[in-house]
Amino acid sequence: MTRDENGQRVFDCGANMGLSTFFHITIAASSDVVAVGQYNYNRISYQLTISDAVGLDSPIVWSSSNPALATVDQDGTVTSIGIGQVTITAVSSGFVSRTQLIASFMPVSPNLTAVSSERLLLTPASTVTYDVNDISYSRTDPDIFNDQYQLAVLEMPGTLSWTSSMPSVATVNSSGLVTGIASGTTTITVTNGTISESISLPFTRTPLGATVTTGYAAGSMRKSIEDFFAARLGVVTFPPAPHTFEEVVSE
């Protein structure tokens, strides 16, 4: 046995038989998508043929070293049903030729997309007034919004499980509806068994309104003095004193 210029095995019966018998395998690969149950799979197939056959007086018999990875019919068609390396053997007239192939039968990758996004009203506008150290304050908070996304996933049928990597930023329900809570970024992952896909989404929460000083608190001594001078002079001579406290507002 030797090898030709293409690296294929060449089988020589020898001069005693009065003939030279040899052949090698030619490979043509193709791919297609097949449905198995509810899933689609990318499958690699091969068509094997015999080239340079001389002196063969019996049909080619094909076999696979691992039928759990790939099968081969007697026309030399190799069909992947798993993932891994497999050896295909051709036998005829007592001569053998082999080739190694990579079987590939993988689920089509899911396609997870945010099909829509809108600003969701979380808290309607409101005005809060309060007194501190005889001074009245007013804070008007605008409508508070955050982003909301509806996610859709293709090539992943069946019961889906959704999770958010940062639930403090955004939550996701069983239908893939993602609702922002705070500003930031979170990764949403959808899973079905061993198959999963993720998408990163940004969220922006509307900031609170500013606190403003509106004057002295009603009923306070400062307010009484302010009203006295306002009545006598027609002006306010005691503007509200500056405050140094820091307001912390929790929602």
Side-chain angles (χ1 to χ4, degrees):
M1 180 184 69
T2 60
R3 292 182 181 271
D4 64 10
E5 66 276 8
N6 297 318
Q8 301 288 344
R9 287 180 172 86
V10 175
F11 296 84
D12 190 348
C13 292
N16 292 335
M17 297 185 65
L19 55 83
S20 177
T21 304
F22 58 91
F23 62 92
H24 70 261
I25 299 173
T26 300
I27 305 169
S30 62
S31 63
D32 62 343
V33 177
V34 295
V36 178
Q38 293 182 317
Y39 291 92
N40 290 328
Y41 288 79
N42 287 315
R43 178 180 64 187
I44 302 297
S45 300
Y46 301 91
Q47 183 60 57
L48 307 184
T49 55
I50 296 301
S51 300
D52 300 327
V54 177
L56 298 181
D57 56 7
S58 62
I60 302 293
V61 178
W62 299 91
S63 62
S64 169
S65 64
N66 192 342
L69 296 181
T71 61
V72 58
D73 64 17
Q74 293 314 301
D75 292 325
T77 300
V78 180
T79 302
S80 298
I81 56 177
I83 303 172
Q85 184 171 284
V86 63
T87 299
I88 304 298
T89 301
V91 178
S92 179
S93 302
F95 299 94
V96 179
S97 187
R98 297 184 177 90
T99 188
Q100 289 185 335
L101 303 173
I102 300 298
S104 180
F105 191 73
M106 302 180 63
V108 174
S109 297
N111 180 21
L112 179 60
T113 56
V115 297
S116 65
S117 174
E118 61 181 13
R119 297 288 287 173
L120 177 69
L121 177 62
L122 300 179
T123 305
S126 63
T127 300
V128 179
T129 58
Y130 52 94
D131 300 332
V132 177
N133 294 333
D134 293 342
I135 300 175
S136 291
Y137 295 90
S138 175
R139 188 190 71 225
T140 300
D141 297 333
D143 290 335
I144 297 177
F145 291 87
N146 208 322
D147 299 291
Q148 187 177 62
Y149 298 87
Q150 178 60 60
L151 304 187
V153 59
L154 301 178
E155 302 294 351
M156 190 184 289
T159 303
L160 305 180
S161 175
W162 299 85
T163 58
S164 171
S165 65
M166 294 287 291
S168 60
V169 172
T171 59
V172 57
N173 67 12
S174 59
S175 300
L177 181 64
V178 186
T179 301
I181 299 173
S183 294
T185 302
T186 188
T187 298
I188 304 298
T189 301
V190 59
T191 305
N192 184 359
T194 59
I195 304 174
S196 65
E197 188 70 11
S198 299
I199 187 172
S200 181
L201 299 173
F203 296 88
T204 303
R205 180 184 172 96
T206 303
L208 294 175
T211 297
V212 297
T213 301
T214 57
Y216 292 127
S220 68
M221 182 177 292
R222 290 181 177 181
K223 178 62 174 173
S224 299
I225 297 174
E226 179 185 77
D227 291 343
F228 172 80
F229 281 97
R232 290 298 182 90
L233 305 176
V235 294
V236 177
T237 58
F238 291 90
H243 64 283
T244 60
F245 69 93
E246 179 179 353
E247 177 199 10
V248 177
V249 179
S250 61
E251 298 178 37

